[in-house]
Protein backbone atom coordinates (compact mmCIF):
# COMPACT_ATOMS: atom_id res chain seq x y z
CA UNK A 1 0.00 0.00 0.00
CA UNK A 2 1.27 3.45 -0.87
CA UNK A 3 1.49 6.38 1.51
CA UNK A 4 -1.74 7.75 0.11
CA UNK A 5 -4.71 7.38 2.38
CA UNK A 6 -7.09 4.63 1.22
CA UNK A 7 -10.40 5.39 -0.45
CA UNK A 8 -13.12 3.65 1.54
CA UNK A 9 -16.46 2.70 -0.01
CA UNK A 10 -19.26 1.95 2.46
CA UNK A 11 -21.82 -0.37 0.86
CA UNK A 12 -25.37 -0.38 2.21
CA UNK A 13 -27.98 -2.82 0.83
CA UNK A 14 -31.47 -1.35 1.20
CA UNK A 15 -34.82 -3.05 0.78
CA UNK A 16 -37.86 -0.98 1.75
CA UNK A 17 -35.79 1.08 4.16
CA UNK A 18 -37.47 4.49 3.75
CA UNK A 19 -37.67 4.81 7.53
CA UNK A 20 -33.94 4.26 8.07
CA UNK A 21 -32.01 5.25 4.99
CA UNK A 22 -31.70 9.02 5.54
CA UNK A 23 -30.54 8.89 9.14
CA UNK A 24 -28.23 5.99 8.28
CA UNK A 25 -26.54 7.96 5.51
CA UNK A 26 -26.21 11.01 7.77
CA UNK A 27 -24.62 8.87 10.47
CA UNK A 28 -22.24 7.21 8.00
CA UNK A 29 -21.22 10.63 6.63
CA UNK A 30 -20.30 11.59 10.20
CA UNK A 31 -18.25 8.40 10.51
CA UNK A 32 -16.51 9.22 7.23
CA UNK A 33 -15.81 12.83 8.28
CA UNK A 34 -14.35 11.58 11.56
CA UNK A 35 -12.05 9.08 9.83
CA UNK A 36 -10.95 11.69 7.26
CA UNK A 37 -10.27 14.07 10.13
CA UNK A 38 -8.14 11.42 11.85
CA UNK A 39 -6.17 11.02 8.60
CA UNK A 40 -7.15 7.36 8.29
CA UNK A 41 -9.05 7.48 4.99
CA UNK A 42 -9.11 9.67 1.91
CA UNK A 43 -11.50 12.57 1.40
CA UNK A 44 -12.66 10.74 -1.76
CA UNK A 45 -14.27 7.95 0.28
CA UNK A 46 -17.98 7.48 -0.37
CA UNK A 47 -21.18 5.72 0.55
CA UNK A 48 -22.72 3.34 -1.98
CA UNK A 49 -26.38 2.42 -1.52
CA UNK A 50 -27.84 -0.56 -3.35
CA UNK A 51 -31.61 -0.40 -3.59
CA UNK A 52 -32.71 -4.03 -3.88
CA UNK A 53 -35.93 -3.25 -5.77
CA UNK A 54 -37.69 -1.44 -2.92
CA UNK A 55 -41.39 -0.77 -3.32
CA UNK A 56 -41.45 2.26 -1.03
CA UNK A 57 -39.71 5.64 -1.32
CA UNK A 58 -36.20 4.35 -0.61
CA UNK A 59 -34.88 5.14 -4.09
CA UNK A 60 -36.41 8.63 -4.11
CA UNK A 61 -34.60 9.38 -0.85
CA UNK A 62 -31.35 7.93 -2.17
CA UNK A 63 -31.53 10.12 -5.32
CA UNK A 64 -32.24 13.19 -3.20
CA UNK A 65 -29.22 12.48 -1.03
CA UNK A 66 -27.10 11.87 -4.11
CA UNK A 67 -28.05 15.33 -5.37
CA UNK A 68 -27.23 16.87 -2.02
CA UNK A 69 -23.95 15.10 -1.21
CA UNK A 70 -21.45 14.17 -3.89
CA UNK A 71 -20.07 11.33 -1.76
CA UNK A 72 -23.39 9.47 -1.79
CA UNK A 73 -23.74 7.16 -4.79
CA UNK A 74 -26.03 4.31 -5.53
CA UNK A 75 -27.70 1.79 -7.73
CA UNK A 76 -31.23 0.50 -8.10
CA UNK A 77 -32.15 -3.06 -9.06
CA UNK A 78 -35.04 -3.59 -11.42
CA UNK A 79 -36.64 -5.90 -8.83
CA UNK A 80 -35.84 -7.58 -5.52
CA UNK A 81 -32.89 -9.96 -5.91
CA UNK A 82 -32.10 -10.51 -2.24
CA UNK A 83 -29.53 -9.16 0.18
CA UNK A 84 -26.60 -11.30 -1.06
CA UNK A 85 -27.04 -10.08 -4.64
CA UNK A 86 -27.29 -6.49 -3.40
CA UNK A 87 -23.99 -6.94 -1.57
CA UNK A 88 -22.33 -8.57 -4.58
CA UNK A 89 -23.56 -5.73 -6.81
CA UNK A 90 -22.18 -3.24 -4.29
CA UNK A 91 -18.77 -4.92 -4.29
CA UNK A 92 -18.65 -5.09 -8.10
CA UNK A 93 -19.74 -1.50 -8.59
CA UNK A 94 -17.40 0.07 -6.04
CA UNK A 95 -14.56 -1.93 -7.56
CA UNK A 96 -15.39 -0.40 -10.94
CA UNK A 97 -15.88 3.09 -9.50
CA UNK A 98 -12.56 2.82 -7.70
CA UNK A 99 -11.77 2.20 -4.04
CA UNK A 100 -9.00 0.69 -1.92
CA UNK A 101 -11.28 -1.06 0.52
CA UNK A 102 -15.01 -1.54 1.04
CA UNK A 103 -17.10 -1.99 4.17
CA UNK A 104 -20.62 -3.45 3.99
CA UNK A 105 -23.16 -2.55 6.66
CA UNK A 106 -26.95 -3.00 7.01
CA UNK A 107 -29.27 -0.08 6.33
CA UNK A 108 -30.84 -0.33 9.78
CA UNK A 109 -27.40 0.26 11.39
CA UNK A 110 -27.93 -2.74 13.67
CA UNK A 111 -24.22 -3.24 13.35
CA UNK A 112 -22.14 -0.77 15.29
CA UNK A 113 -20.88 1.80 12.78
CA UNK A 114 -18.18 2.89 15.26
CA UNK A 115 -16.46 -0.46 14.63
CA UNK A 116 -15.58 0.75 11.11
CA UNK A 117 -12.64 2.64 12.59
CA UNK A 118 -11.26 -0.60 14.04
CA UNK A 119 -11.79 -2.27 10.64
CA UNK A 120 -9.72 0.47 9.00
CA UNK A 121 -7.00 0.14 11.65
CA UNK A 122 -6.66 -3.57 10.90
CA UNK A 123 -6.67 -2.83 7.16
CA UNK A 124 -3.91 -0.25 7.61
CA UNK A 125 -1.94 -2.91 9.49
CA UNK A 126 -2.14 -5.15 6.44
CA UNK A 127 -5.33 -7.22 6.69
CA UNK A 128 -7.16 -7.90 3.43
CA UNK A 129 -10.38 -8.99 5.09
CA UNK A 130 -11.70 -7.81 8.43
CA UNK A 131 -14.75 -9.73 9.58
CA UNK A 132 -17.24 -8.40 12.08
CA UNK A 133 -18.18 -10.91 14.79
CA UNK A 134 -21.29 -10.26 16.88
CA UNK A 135 -20.68 -9.94 20.60
CA UNK A 136 -24.06 -11.39 21.41
CA UNK A 137 -27.37 -12.16 19.79
CA UNK A 138 -29.47 -10.31 22.33
CA UNK A 139 -31.60 -8.59 19.70
CA UNK A 140 -32.45 -11.82 17.86
CA UNK A 141 -35.50 -13.93 18.55
CA UNK A 142 -34.89 -17.28 20.25
CA UNK A 143 -35.74 -19.02 16.98
CA UNK A 144 -33.22 -17.03 14.95
CA UNK A 145 -30.58 -17.50 17.65
CA UNK A 146 -30.99 -21.29 17.73
CA UNK A 147 -31.16 -21.75 13.95
CA UNK A 148 -28.11 -19.49 13.46
CA UNK A 149 -26.06 -21.49 15.99
CA UNK A 150 -27.15 -24.76 14.36
CA UNK A 151 -26.22 -23.41 10.93
CA UNK A 152 -22.69 -22.38 11.94
CA UNK A 153 -22.11 -25.66 13.78
CA UNK A 154 -23.33 -27.63 10.75
CA UNK A 155 -21.22 -25.59 8.31
CA UNK A 156 -18.14 -26.26 10.40
CA UNK A 157 -18.84 -29.98 10.63
CA UNK A 158 -19.33 -30.01 6.86
CA UNK A 159 -15.93 -28.48 6.28
CA UNK A 160 -16.72 -24.83 5.46
CA UNK A 161 -14.92 -23.17 8.36
CA UNK A 162 -17.00 -20.08 9.02
CA UNK A 163 -16.49 -18.45 12.41
CA UNK A 164 -19.46 -18.45 14.76
CA UNK A 165 -21.62 -15.32 14.80
CA UNK A 166 -20.03 -14.08 11.64
CA UNK A 167 -21.98 -11.44 9.75
CA UNK A 168 -22.01 -9.56 6.48
CA UNK A 169 -20.50 -6.57 8.32
CA UNK A 170 -16.93 -6.68 7.04
CA UNK A 171 -14.14 -4.82 5.33
CA UNK A 172 -12.56 -6.21 2.18
CA UNK A 173 -9.57 -4.85 0.31
CA UNK A 174 -9.37 -4.10 -3.40
CA UNK A 175 -7.31 -7.27 -3.69
CA UNK A 176 -10.17 -9.37 -2.29
CA UNK A 177 -12.58 -7.68 -4.72
CA UNK A 178 -10.26 -8.51 -7.62
CA UNK A 179 -10.25 -12.16 -6.53
CA UNK A 180 -14.06 -12.12 -6.30
CA UNK A 181 -14.12 -11.37 -10.04
CA UNK A 182 -12.50 -14.77 -10.60
CA UNK A 183 -15.45 -16.54 -8.98
CA UNK A 184 -18.08 -16.62 -11.71
CA UNK A 185 -20.68 -18.52 -9.70
CA UNK A 186 -23.98 -16.69 -9.64
CA UNK A 187 -25.07 -17.74 -6.18
CA UNK A 188 -21.82 -16.86 -4.46
CA UNK A 189 -22.18 -17.26 -0.68
CA UNK A 190 -20.13 -14.30 0.52
CA UNK A 191 -19.48 -15.49 4.09
CA UNK A 192 -18.08 -18.75 2.76
CA UNK A 193 -16.15 -17.10 -0.07
CA UNK A 194 -14.27 -14.52 1.99
CA UNK A 195 -13.27 -17.24 4.44
CA UNK A 196 -12.12 -19.60 1.75
CA UNK A 197 -9.83 -17.42 -0.37
CA UNK A 198 -7.00 -17.48 2.15
CA UNK A 199 -6.24 -13.77 2.32
CA UNK A 200 -4.98 -12.31 5.60
CA UNK A 201 -8.09 -12.10 7.78
CA UNK A 202 -8.62 -10.26 11.05
CA UNK A 203 -11.64 -10.19 13.34
CA UNK A 204 -13.31 -7.33 15.12
CA UNK A 205 -16.15 -7.84 17.58
CA UNK A 206 -19.07 -5.45 17.67
CA UNK A 207 -22.34 -4.98 19.53
CA UNK A 208 -25.62 -5.55 17.77
CA UNK A 209 -28.23 -2.87 18.31
CA UNK A 210 -31.97 -3.09 17.90
CA UNK A 211 -33.33 -2.19 14.48
CA UNK A 212 -33.59 1.59 14.09
CA UNK A 213 -37.03 1.56 12.45
CA UNK A 214 -39.20 -0.68 10.31
CA UNK A 215 -39.19 -4.48 10.37
CA UNK A 216 -36.71 -7.19 9.50
CA UNK A 217 -36.76 -7.94 5.77
CA UNK A 218 -35.71 -11.53 6.34
CA UNK A 219 -38.39 -14.17 6.79
CA UNK A 220 -37.96 -17.84 7.56
CA UNK A 221 -37.92 -18.91 3.89
CA UNK A 222 -35.26 -16.33 2.94
CA UNK A 223 -33.05 -17.41 5.84
CA UNK A 224 -33.49 -21.07 4.96
CA UNK A 225 -32.63 -20.30 1.32
CA UNK A 226 -29.47 -18.54 2.45
CA UNK A 227 -28.47 -21.43 4.71
CA UNK A 228 -29.11 -24.10 2.04
CA UNK A 229 -27.20 -22.09 -0.55
CA UNK A 230 -24.34 -21.72 1.90
CA UNK A 231 -24.18 -25.44 2.52
CA UNK A 232 -24.64 -26.67 -1.04
CA UNK A 233 -22.20 -24.17 -2.54
CA UNK A 234 -19.43 -24.74 -0.02
CA UNK A 235 -19.61 -28.40 0.95
CA UNK A 236 -20.13 -31.74 -0.78
CA UNK A 237 -19.95 -33.62 2.52
CA UNK A 238 -23.76 -34.24 2.58
CA UNK A 239 -23.41 -36.10 -0.73
CA UNK A 240 -20.60 -38.18 0.70
CA UNK A 241 -22.66 -38.97 3.80
CA UNK A 242 -25.39 -40.24 1.48
CA UNK A 243 -22.98 -42.57 -0.31
CA UNK A 244 -21.66 -43.96 2.96
CA UNK A 245 -25.20 -44.33 4.28
CA UNK A 246 -26.12 -46.14 1.06
CA UNK A 247 -23.29 -48.63 1.54
CA UNK A 248 -24.18 -49.28 5.17
CA UNK A 249 -27.84 -49.75 4.30
CA UNK A 250 -27.03 -52.11 1.45
CA UNK A 251 -24.84 -54.15 3.80
CA UNK A 252 -27.51 -54.30 6.52
CA UNK A 253 -30.18 -55.21 3.96
CA UNK A 254 -27.97 -57.99 2.65
CA UNK A 255 -27.53 -59.48 6.14
CA UNK A 256 -31.28 -59.27 6.85
CA UNK A 257 -32.05 -60.80 3.46
CA UNK A 258 -29.59 -63.64 4.03
CA UNK A 259 -31.02 -64.27 7.48
CA UNK A 260 -34.56 -64.49 6.08
CA UNK A 261 -33.50 -66.98 3.44
CA UNK A 262 -31.73 -69.13 6.04
CA UNK A 263 -34.79 -69.07 8.30
CA UNK A 264 -37.05 -70.02 5.41
CA UNK A 265 -34.92 -72.88 4.10
CA UNK A 266 -33.63 -74.43 7.32
CA UNK A 267 -36.16 -73.59 10.01
CA UNK A 268 -39.37 -73.23 7.95
CA UNK A 269 -40.64 -70.61 10.35
CA UNK A 270 -40.88 -67.52 8.17
CA UNK A 271 -41.68 -64.95 10.80
CA UNK A 272 -45.02 -63.23 10.90
CA UNK A 273 -43.19 -59.99 11.65
CA UNK A 274 -45.68 -57.45 10.41
CA UNK A 275 -44.34 -54.76 12.73
CA UNK A 276 -40.75 -55.35 11.63
CA UNK A 277 -41.86 -55.01 8.03
CA UNK A 278 -43.60 -51.73 8.58
CA UNK A 279 -40.75 -50.31 10.66
CA UNK A 280 -38.16 -51.25 8.07
CA UNK A 281 -40.33 -49.91 5.26
CA UNK A 282 -40.77 -46.56 6.98
CA UNK A 283 -37.13 -46.38 8.01
CA UNK A 284 -35.70 -47.04 4.58
CA UNK A 285 -38.42 -45.00 2.88
CA UNK A 286 -37.68 -42.04 5.13
CA UNK A 287 -33.95 -42.19 4.63
CA UNK A 288 -34.35 -42.52 0.87
CA UNK A 289 -36.64 -39.51 0.57
CA UNK A 290 -34.31 -37.47 2.77
CA UNK A 291 -31.31 -38.44 0.63
CA UNK A 292 -33.19 -37.64 -2.55
CA UNK A 293 -33.95 -34.22 -1.08
CA UNK A 294 -30.28 -33.55 -0.40
CA UNK A 295 -29.29 -34.69 -3.88
CA UNK A 296 -32.12 -32.53 -5.22
CA UNK A 297 -30.62 -29.48 -3.52
CA UNK A 298 -27.32 -30.06 -5.31
CA UNK A 299 -29.02 -30.71 -8.63
CA UNK A 300 -30.89 -27.45 -8.08
CA UNK A 301 -27.61 -25.66 -7.39
CA UNK A 302 -26.09 -27.05 -10.62
CA UNK A 303 -29.27 -26.20 -12.53
CA UNK A 304 -29.26 -22.59 -11.37
CA UNK A 305 -25.57 -22.13 -12.10
CA UNK A 306 -25.70 -23.83 -15.49
CA UNK A 307 -28.45 -21.50 -16.70
CA UNK A 308 -25.96 -18.76 -15.97
CA UNK A 309 -28.55 -16.03 -15.66
CA UNK A 310 -27.35 -12.57 -14.62
CA UNK A 311 -26.88 -12.14 -10.88
CA UNK A 312 -28.93 -8.97 -10.93
CA UNK A 313 -30.24 -6.37 -13.35
CA UNK A 314 -29.54 -2.68 -12.81
CA UNK A 315 -32.27 -0.16 -13.44
CA UNK A 316 -30.38 3.06 -12.71
CA UNK A 317 -26.93 3.86 -11.34
CA UNK A 318 -25.97 7.17 -9.77
CA UNK A 319 -22.20 7.66 -9.92
N1 LIG B 1 -32.04 -6.53 2.48
C1 LIG B 1 -31.93 -6.49 1.09
N2 LIG B 1 -32.73 -7.32 0.35
C2 LIG B 1 -33.61 -8.19 0.91
C3 LIG B 1 -33.68 -8.26 2.32
C4 LIG B 1 -32.87 -7.41 3.07
O1 LIG B 1 -31.13 -5.73 0.55
O2 LIG B 1 -34.31 -8.89 0.17
C5 LIG B 1 -31.17 -5.63 3.29
C6 LIG B 1 -31.91 -4.78 4.31
O3 LIG B 1 -32.39 -3.58 3.74
C7 LIG B 1 -30.84 -4.55 5.35
C8 LIG B 1 -30.02 -5.82 5.30
O4 LIG B 1 -30.30 -6.43 4.04
O5 LIG B 1 -30.00 -3.45 5.01
C9 LIG B 1 -30.33 -6.76 6.44
O6 LIG B 1 -31.74 -6.98 6.50
P1 LIG B 1 -32.57 -6.96 7.85
O7 LIG B 1 -32.06 -5.88 8.75
O8 LIG B 1 -34.00 -6.88 7.46
O9 LIG B 1 -32.22 -8.39 8.41
P2 LIG B 1 -31.94 -8.82 9.92
O10 LIG B 1 -31.04 -7.78 10.52
O11 LIG B 1 -33.27 -8.86 10.56
O12 LIG B 1 -31.29 -10.16 9.77
MG1 LIG C 1 -31.29 -5.78 10.56
Amino acid sequence: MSNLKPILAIIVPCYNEELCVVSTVERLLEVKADLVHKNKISEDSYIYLVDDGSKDDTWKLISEMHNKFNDVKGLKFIRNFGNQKALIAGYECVRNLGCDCAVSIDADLQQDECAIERFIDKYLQGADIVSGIRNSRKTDTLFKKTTAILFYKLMNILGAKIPMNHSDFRLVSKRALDIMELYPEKYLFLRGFFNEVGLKTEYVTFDVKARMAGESKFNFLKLMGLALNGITSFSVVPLRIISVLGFIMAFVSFIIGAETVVEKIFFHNTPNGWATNIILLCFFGGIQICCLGIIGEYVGQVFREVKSRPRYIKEIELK
Side-chain angles (χ1 to χ4, degrees):
M1 201 172 42
S2 66
N3 287 330
L4 290 175
K5 280 166 282 170
I7 298 180
L8 166 70
I10 304 181
I11 301 167
V12 189
C14 308
Y15 180 53
N16 295 341
E17 298 284 7
E18 60 180 4
L19 297 175
C20 300
V21 73
V22 175
S23 46
T24 297
V25 168
E26 283 166 359
R27 179 70 197 107
L28 291 175
L29 286 173
E30 280 171 24
V31 172
K32 176 198 152 177
D34 179 49
L35 291 174
V36 170
H37 179 71
K38 288 179 178 159
N39 262 328
K40 292 191 177 178
I41 59 170
S42 152
E43 184 82 58
D44 297 332
S45 301
Y46 55 92
I47 298 172
Y48 198 89
L49 301 139
V50 184
D51 181 343
D52 186 10
S54 300
K55 292 179 190 73
D56 62 2
D57 277 338
T58 305
W59 183 248
K60 200 175 134 241
L61 296 169
I62 294 177
S63 328
E64 281 169 16
M65 286 187 289
H66 170 72
N67 293 333
K68 207 158 124 197
F69 309 106
N70 51 14
D71 45 3
V72 175
K73 305 166 199 276
L75 151 80
K76 181 177 169 54
F77 281 174
I78 207 157
R79 65 163 167 87
N80 181 246
F81 282 88
N83 148 290
Q84 290 286 295
K85 303 287 176 58
L87 282 173
I88 293 176
Y91 287 133
E92 289 181 340
C93 294
V94 300
R95 177 178 177 269
N96 293 337
L97 275 178
C99 69
D100 296 302
C101 55
V103 165
S104 47
I105 188 164
D106 286 352
D108 53 7
L109 282 195
Q110 276 194 281
Q111 296 133 338
D112 183 11
E113 67 282 358
C114 299
I116 295 179
E117 182 170 357
R118 284 182 282 144
F119 283 19
I120 295 287
D121 290 341
K122 299 267 187 202
Y123 168 76
L124 293 173
Q125 287 159 16
D128 273 301
I129 291 165
V130 187
S131 278
I133 305 283
R134 296 152 167 260
N135 267 335
S136 76
R137 287 185 166 269
K138 260 183 280 173
T139 54
D140 280 355
T141 57
L142 182 68
F143 177 75
K144 200 163 173 184
K145 235 183 273 185
T146 340
T147 45
I149 292 174
L150 278 178
F151 172 71
Y152 286 110
K153 286 251 154 75
L154 188 66
M155 281 301 272
N156 278 289
I157 293 170
L158 297 180
K161 301 276 177 251
I162 301 181
M164 200 75 174
N165 287 338
H166 188 82
S167 67
D168 275 322
F169 182 33
R170 69 171 79 80
L171 175 146
V172 298
S173 65
K174 168 82 173 26
R175 193 164 160 216
L177 294 180
D178 290 343
I179 295 177
M180 203 177 114
E181 286 291 294
L182 305 176
Y183 278 62
E185 58 194 84
K186 305 288 173 184
Y187 284 77
L188 189 61
F189 182 63
L190 292 170
R191 292 176 209 189
F193 163 73
F194 286 119
N195 265 284
E196 197 216 49
V197 277
L199 288 169
K200 186 168 175 347
T201 306
E202 289 286 350
Y203 300 94
V204 163
T205 57
F206 68 91
D207 288 322
V208 184
K209 296 176 273 183
R211 196 172 227 287
M212 189 191 288
E215 303 179 330
S216 172
K217 311 294 180 294
F218 267 96
N219 55 29
F220 174 66
L221 283 180
K222 274 192 180 177
L223 278 175
M224 178 131 137
L226 186 66
L228 278 177
N229 182 39
I231 292 172
T232 51
S233 57
F234 273 87
S235 173
V236 288
V237 175
L239 290 178
R240 232 161 267 157
I241 294 175
I242 292 179
S243 321
V244 174
L245 214 62
F247 275 119
I248 295 174
M249 271 166 49
F251 184 70
V252 172
S253 311
F254 175 76
I255 304 266
I256 294 176
E259 200 249 3
T260 319
V261 170
V262 170
E263 291 244 359
K264 171 126 182 127
I265 296 174
F266 297 103
F267 304 101
H268 304 289
N269 60 344
T270 32
N272 47 0
W274 174 247
T276 322
N277 253 323
I278 294 296
I279 290 166
L280 284 179
L281 198 75
C282 294
F283 176 69
F284 287 117
I287 287 192
Q288 275 168 7
I289 291 170
C290 173
C291 293
L292 272 179
I294 296 177
I295 295 172
E297 279 298 324
Y298 282 92
V299 174
Q301 182 79 273
V302 173
F303 177 62
R304 284 188 311 193
E305 290 294 339
V306 112
K307 281 186 296 184
S308 190
R309 290 186 180 168
R311 279 173 173 159
Y312 52 85
I313 302 167
K314 290 184 198 173
E315 190 174 314
I316 323 175
E317 189 173 4
L318 300 173
K319 293 184 185 175

